[in-house]
Amino acid sequence: MFLFQLPEVVLYHIMSYLEYKSLSRLSQVCKTIYHFANRDAVWRKIAKELINTGITRQGADVYPHIPLKDRVKVSQNWCHGICRKEVMLKWRINLLPWIQLDGDVLYLSQAADIGAYHLRPDTGKLQRSPMALFSGHLEDVCRFAVTDTHLVSGGSDGKILVHHRRNGFSMEYSGHNQEVNCLDCRGGLIVSGSRDRTARIWTLSSNCPRDTIPMNDRVWSVAISPTQSSFVTGTACCANFSPLRIWDVERCELLCCLGSEFRRGAGVLDIVYESPVQLLTCGYDTYIRSWDLRLSPRKCVMEWEEPHDSALYCIQTDGNHMIASGSSYYGVIRTWDKRQTRCLENCQRGRCCNLLQRQPAEFCLTIQDLSPRTMPQDYLT
């Protein structure tokens, strides 16, 4: 009996015992095996166990249009640091931009403006000029968030601007007394944090704050829970309380504090929800921490330390095993596997280290192509 005279269910079961190298070799035997072994069903189990494949632990698929076999290749190239770098955009500016990719549109802040650039998935190249420009701030944009319908930005001028992505209509919110360091927007709810030591709750339908919460410390980061029932604030940790606190959205009451052993000045600079019960944080104390909100008391279950003892300004996760972090040490981006304590690889962000000295510099937005098929959501730096 030939192998492919067996029922497909039996073939899937046989291939489930193979790791990615053996499957790749098997697919080179003949055209029939090649087409069968390239099916997503064959690679799903492997993809779920690897980093940066778009398959979450809950089984959700972030990139359903890209074959799983290609994503496994990407994951292996991530782990081995194999990539080609191509400059997408250059500009002369003093500040490092905030960027966010939404489908095939890249939103990128440059000084007081936010440009929307069309990104071609086949080549990974940007348009030379933005397809839309969102402006209105008098000073630099500190942070922005993109939703299905709106773009919400906070700036050094204390303003919060809500731009409608389709018709270009903008609304100015009264904002804060000092620069808006952070904000998050989810389901029509906006939470902002400022250097003026307050956090404010807004709605997209009103330009007046619904609630203002005194924080007694500078607010560096905020994140709204996926359930929209609570939000987390990260402060500068200059006062005598934990910099990480969870608040009730409706009552604006403090629900709990996370951690009690933060040293003074260990401010939290970025917060990311992996799920309603899992949280990732990073900051000045050089650690990435994972928090389990189901435990009582809620506590840190895992931490990863930046090797060069450098402050971590931003983090992102694929919802599975991968974490990417950005530090101030020569503009290094590191990738981490949550099952390991040491980082996998690191890459330099061009000449962005000049940001630390506040000198005029030419910055490059680069895209890293880690596989024959470009997947921009994963390679943007």
Side-chain angles (χ1 to χ4, degrees):
M1 177 180 284
F2 293 107
L3 178 64
F4 274 81
Q5 289 178 311
L6 295 171
E8 286 193 355
V9 176
V10 177
L11 288 173
Y12 282 131
H13 184 70
I14 293 172
M15 291 187 179
S16 68
Y17 289 96
L18 301 179
E19 33 77 42
Y20 73 94
K21 288 184 179 179
S22 299
L23 273 177
S24 299
R25 295 189 184 106
L26 181 63
S27 66
Q28 298 176 25
V29 172
C30 65
K31 289 184 178 180
T32 303
I33 296 180
Y34 173 81
H35 291 297
F36 187 88
N38 278 7
R39 296 181 182 180
D40 281 357
V42 176
W43 291 90
R44 186 164 297 276
K45 180 181 177 182
I46 295 174
K48 191 174 180 180
E49 295 300 318
L50 298 176
I51 67 166
N52 202 30
T53 58
I55 302 294
T56 67
R57 283 168 291 184
Q58 291 76 28
D61 194 345
V62 181
Y63 314 119
H65 59 288
I66 301 178
L68 284 177
K69 182 180 179 181
D70 289 348
R71 287 186 258 170
V72 170
K73 291 180 183 178
V74 170
S75 176
Q76 293 307 305
N77 287 337
W78 264 113
C79 292
H80 295 97
I82 303 171
C83 66
R84 298 188 305 273
K85 294 182 181 180
E86 181 180 349
V87 174
M88 299 173 62
L89 192 66
K90 291 183 179 181
W91 68 96
R92 297 189 65 84
I93 201 71
N94 281 6
L95 298 176
L96 198 64
W98 188 258
I99 58 176
Q100 186 170 338
L101 187 64
D102 183 60
D104 60 353
V105 179
L106 175 72
Y107 293 88
L108 181 147
S109 65
Q110 299 178 63
D113 300 322
I114 302 171
Y117 296 84
H118 179 68
L119 181 68
R120 295 180 55 187
D122 54 341
T123 62
K125 293 183 179 296
L126 288 174
Q127 290 177 316
R128 287 186 175 272
S129 57
M131 55 186 287
L133 192 66
F134 303 93
S135 57
H137 286 286
L138 301 178
E139 297 182 33
D140 296 319
V141 173
C142 296
R143 193 79 172 247
F144 64 83
V146 179
T147 69
D148 291 339
T149 56
H150 293 83
L151 184 149
V152 185
S153 62
S156 298
D157 53 6
K159 292 182 179 180
I160 294 176
L161 297 180
V162 177
H163 310 272
H164 198 285
R165 290 174 55 184
R166 291 173 176 82
N167 59 26
F169 176 76
S170 299
M171 181 184 295
E172 181 180 322
Y173 286 28
S174 52
H176 293 261
N177 298 328
Q178 297 184 43
E179 63 189 63
V180 181
N181 294 320
C182 54
L183 58 80
D184 195 11
C185 182
R186 192 186 291 266
L189 184 72
I190 303 171
V191 177
S192 62
S194 171
R195 196 181 184 91
D196 65 6
R197 303 187 177 192
T198 63
R200 293 186 177 180
I201 302 176
W202 319 72
T203 60
L204 287 174
S205 58
S206 173
N207 62 351
C208 294
R210 197 195 74 183
D211 293 287
T212 300
I213 305 175
M215 301 296 294
N216 302 315
D217 206 350
R218 290 165 293 176
V219 185
W220 290 129
S221 55
V222 296
I224 302 174
S225 167
T227 63
Q228 300 175 38
S229 61
S230 63
F231 65 93
V232 184
T233 58
T235 60
C237 199
C238 294
N240 296 321
F241 49 77
S242 170
L244 274 173
R245 290 180 285 176
I246 302 179
W247 305 82
D248 183 271
V249 167
E250 295 299 326
R251 302 189 302 272
C252 296
E253 294 178 353
L254 178 63
L255 297 178
C256 68
C257 296
L258 299 181
S260 59
E261 298 181 354
F262 288 92
R263 65 179 184 267
R264 184 176 177 82
V268 178
L269 296 174
D270 201 11
I271 304 171
V272 174
Y273 268 100
E274 282 198 293
S275 72
V277 295
Q278 291 177 304
L279 196 69
L280 289 173
T281 64
C282 70
Y284 281 122
D285 65 352
T286 76
Y287 280 92
I288 301 172
R289 289 185 172 90
S290 176
W291 305 84
D292 193 330
L293 306 184
R294 295 167 295 186
L295 301 177
S296 182
R298 298 170 176 86
K299 63 180 183 179
C300 175
V301 293
M302 188 68 182
E303 58 184 26
W304 299 268
E305 184 179 10
E306 160 63 36
H308 291 126
D309 197 33
S310 180
L312 297 174
Y313 284 86
C314 54
I315 51 174
Q316 192 53 267
T317 175
D318 68 346
N320 192 22
H321 299 301
M322 179 190 169
I323 302 174
S325 65
S327 73
S328 61
Y329 184 83
Y330 295 125
V332 171
I333 297 172
R334 297 190 188 277
T335 55
W336 308 77
D337 187 336
K338 288 192 289 187
R339 297 163 295 185
Q340 303 178 27
T341 56
R342 300 179 63 182
C343 71
L344 296 175
E345 291 293 337
N346 66 81
C347 60
Q348 304 288 331
R349 290 187 295 207
R351 295 168 57 188
C352 295
C353 58
N354 289 340
L355 172 70
L356 303 179
Q357 288 80 35
R358 295 287 180 178
Q359 297 173 355
E362 182 180 74
F363 294 97
C364 299
L365 184 66
T366 63
I367 192 163
Q368 297 184 12
D369 184 7
L370 292 100
S371 77
R373 180 164 183 163
T374 303
M375 191 161 63
Q377 291 91 332
D378 294 327
Y379 313 144
L380 221 52
T381 59

